[in-house]
Amino acid sequence: MKRAIVFSVLLFMVLLPAMLNAEETVSWSECVREARASHPDLASSRALLRQAEADRSLAGSTLFPSLGVTGSYLTGGTVGSGASGAPSLFSYSMTARQLLYDGRKSAKLRDASAESVKARESSLAGVSADVRFVLRSAFTELLKAQEMVALSSDIALRRKNNARLIALRYRAGREHIGSLRRAEADLAAAEFEVAQASRGLVLARSVLSSALGRRERSPLRVEGSFTARVPGVATAPDFQAIARRNPLVVELDAVRNAAGYSLAAAESAFSPELYLRSSAGRSDISDWPPENVSLQAGVELVVPIYEGGAGRARVAGARAELTGKEAAVESGLLQVLDMLEARWKQFVDARERLTVQKKYLDAAVERSSIADAQYSNGLISFDDWVIIEDNLVSSKKDFLNAGGDLWIAEAQWIQAKGGGLDEVMD
C-alpha cells in the first residue's frame, strides 16, 4: 500500500510540469467570446457609454416635475437681563415645481445628450472593430508561427537528408568539397530557422494573450488553416454606403447633431421661463404636530434681461462649434472612403496572390520530385539541383506568408468597414 502511494506521488510530481505547461487550444470563436468579455478597451468604452446615458437622463430630468419636502424647528429667546424664552416654531411643507415653457431649451439639451449617447455607441463599435483587428492579427500570427515551426522542421529534415546524400557522394568521389560545404551550410541555416521559428512562436503566444485581455502569458495554440478557405470572385462593394455606416462617420455625425441641438438651446436662452409652483404645509407655535394648514399655488416667470453679453457669446461659440463639427463629418467621410478603397484593393490583391503562390508551390513540388530522381541518376549537376531545392523551400515559405497576408488583409478590410467582434467571416 505504501509503495502504491509513493508511486502515485512520484508519478504526480513527474506529470505536474507537463500539466502546468500543457497547451491551451483555442478557436477563433472562443477568442472572440473571451475578448468581448475581458478586453480592457471594451470595458472602458462601455463605461463611457453608461456615463453618457446617465448624462442623458440628467438632462431630461428638467422636463419632469420636481418635488421636495422641508421641515423646520426654530426656537430662540431675548438677550439681556430678565430675558425670557421665546416660543418654538414647528413647520413642514411639500413643494412641487413644473417647467411649462423655456423656449424648448431643456428639450434641446436633452436631445443633444441623446446624440452624445449615439456618439458613444458608435465609439464603442469603433473600439470593437479595433479590438477585432488586433485579435485577428494576433490569431493569424500565432497560426502562422505554428505552421512555420512545422515547416522549418520539415525543411531542416530535408536539408539533413540532403547533407547525408552529398557526404556519401563526396566520399565516393562523385562530388567535390564545395558541394558538401554548401549542403552543410544549408543544414545550419535550416536549424537556425527552426530555432527562430520557435522563438517567434513564444512571442506570438504572448501577443495573443494580450489581445485577449489576459495579464498572464500561457502556452496557447490556435485552430485553423490558411488553406481551409478558397478565395472566390471579388466584387467591388458600394463604398459610399459602407462609409456612411462606418462607426467613425456615424460618431462624427452624432457629434455634429449634438452641436446643432446645443446651438438651438443657446439661442433659446433668450426666451422667458415659466414654471408652475405649488406647496402645501403646516406650521404652528409650540405645538406638535402643527395644525395651521398653508396651501399655495401660482406661476413663476423668469425673463432674462441683461447678462453682459454672455448669451450672445454662448450662441457664437455654439455656432462656431457646429461649423467645425460639420467640416469634421465631411473630412472623416473622405478619409474613410480612401481607407475603404485601399483596404479593398489590398484584400483583393492578397486573394489573387494566394492563388498564384499555390500554383508556384505545386510547380516547385513537381520540379523537386523530378530533380531528385535526375540528380540520383547523374542527369543534372549539383548546382542545378540546389537551385530547384532552394526554389521549393522558398515556394513553401511564400505560400505560408501569402495565406497569412490574406487573413491580415481581410481583417483590415473588416476593420475599415467597422466590423466588430460580432462580424461574421465571409
Side-chain angles (χ1 to χ4, degrees):
M1 183 66 179
K2 292 182 178 179
R3 291 182 179 178
I5 295 175
V6 172
F7 177 77
S8 299
V9 172
L10 292 175
L11 181 62
F12 177 76
M13 292 177 66
V14 171
L15 295 178
L16 180 59
M19 294 169 59
L20 294 177
N21 294 322
E23 290 183 342
E24 177 187 357
T25 302
V26 292
S27 64
W28 169 244
S29 58
E30 290 172 339
C31 290
V32 168
R33 285 195 294 270
E34 182 174 346
R36 188 187 296 123
S38 305
H39 202 282
D41 290 350
L42 291 172
S44 175
S45 187
R46 291 189 189 106
L48 293 175
L49 174 59
R50 291 193 295 270
Q51 180 182 353
E53 291 172 342
D55 292 340
R56 178 184 59 186
S57 299
L58 181 62
S61 65
T62 58
L63 299 173
F64 295 94
S66 61
L67 300 175
V69 177
T70 59
S72 64
Y73 167 70
L74 301 175
T75 184
T78 303
V79 179
S81 58
S84 60
S88 300
L89 174 64
F90 297 93
S91 67
Y92 65 88
S93 64
M94 176 179 291
T95 303
R97 190 169 183 257
Q98 172 64 55
L99 175 66
L100 298 179
Y101 176 79
D102 65 348
R104 292 187 53 79
K105 179 179 68 176
S106 298
K108 295 299 182 182
L109 292 175
R110 178 200 58 191
D111 294 340
S113 297
E115 290 295 329
S116 297
V117 172
K118 293 180 182 179
R120 285 300 180 188
E121 291 173 344
S122 299
S123 177
L124 175 59
V127 171
S128 179
D130 293 341
V131 169
R132 185 197 183 281
F133 171 70
V134 173
L135 180 63
R136 188 63 175 176
S137 299
F139 186 92
T140 301
E141 290 301 324
L142 180 51
L143 178 59
K144 184 177 172 182
Q146 291 173 185
E147 298 200 3
M148 184 60 75
V149 168
L151 176 58
S152 300
S153 300
D154 290 342
I155 293 173
L157 179 59
R158 187 178 183 91
R159 295 296 195 187
K160 185 176 182 180
N161 293 333
N162 290 345
R164 287 175 179 175
L165 175 62
I166 300 303
L168 291 174
R169 294 173 68 89
Y170 170 72
R171 285 194 291 269
R174 300 173 60 185
E175 280 294 350
H176 54 75
I177 189 65
S179 299
L180 179 58
R181 293 293 179 261
R182 170 59 191 269
E184 291 172 347
D186 288 341
L187 175 58
E191 291 173 344
F192 162 73
E193 290 180 356
V194 171
Q196 185 182 44
S198 299
R199 291 189 291 269
L201 179 62
V202 175
L203 176 60
R205 285 171 169 172
S206 297
V207 173
L208 180 59
S209 296
S210 296
L212 290 170
R214 298 184 181 183
R215 289 187 177 182
E216 298 181 357
R217 277 27 180 163
S218 56
L220 295 170
R221 183 176 183 84
V222 298
E223 297 176 342
S225 173
F226 293 127
T227 60
R229 299 170 57 219
V230 179
V233 178
T235 303
D238 185 349
F239 295 112
Q240 286 282 348
I242 296 175
R244 289 291 180 184
R245 298 192 299 269
N246 183 277
L248 174 62
V249 176
V250 175
E251 179 182 359
L252 291 174
D253 193 58
V255 171
R256 186 263 313 274
N257 293 338
Y261 286 124
S262 296
L263 173 59
E267 293 173 340
S268 300
F270 298 103
S271 300
E273 298 178 1
L274 183 63
Y275 296 90
L276 174 63
R277 181 188 294 273
S278 63
S279 64
R282 289 174 178 267
S283 62
D284 213 334
I285 298 176
S286 302
D287 290 331
W288 181 263
E291 296 183 356
N292 297 328
V293 178
S294 174
L295 298 175
Q296 295 179 344
V299 294
E300 177 184 344
L301 179 64
V302 179
V303 180
I305 297 177
Y306 181 69
E307 294 181 301
R312 287 188 174 84
R314 284 192 290 267
V315 170
R319 184 173 290 112
E321 181 180 7
L322 176 59
T323 302
K325 300 304 181 184
E326 289 175 342
V329 171
E330 294 301 318
S331 176
L333 180 61
L334 293 176
Q335 292 178 18
V336 169
L337 280 171
D338 291 342
M339 180 178 62
L340 283 170
E341 295 195 32
R343 294 291 184 262
W344 175 253
K345 175 188 175 299
Q346 294 170 2
F347 179 38
V348 174
D349 288 347
R351 295 176 74 166
E352 295 181 359
R353 186 181 300 113
L354 180 62
T355 302
V356 173
Q357 291 300 331
K358 182 62 168 64
K359 293 182 181 296
Y360 272 116
L361 177 60
D362 293 340
V365 171
E366 193 69 29
R367 289 185 66 202
S368 177
S369 178
I370 296 172
D372 286 344
Q374 290 177 329
Y375 182 67
S376 298
N377 296 323
L379 298 178
I380 61 174
S381 67
F382 172 80
D383 293 336
D384 292 337
W385 179 65
V386 166
I387 291 173
I388 296 174
E389 281 292 297
D390 291 344
N391 183 64
L392 175 62
V393 171
S394 298
S395 295
K396 288 182 176 180
K397 293 179 180 178
D398 291 343
F399 180 69
L400 176 58
N401 290 328
D405 291 344
L406 173 58
W407 279 29
I408 296 296
E410 182 184 47
Q412 289 177 327
W413 165 242
I414 292 175
Q415 181 193 28
K417 293 192 300 180
L421 290 170
D422 296 325
E423 180 79 12
V424 179
M425 303 297 291
D426 295 335

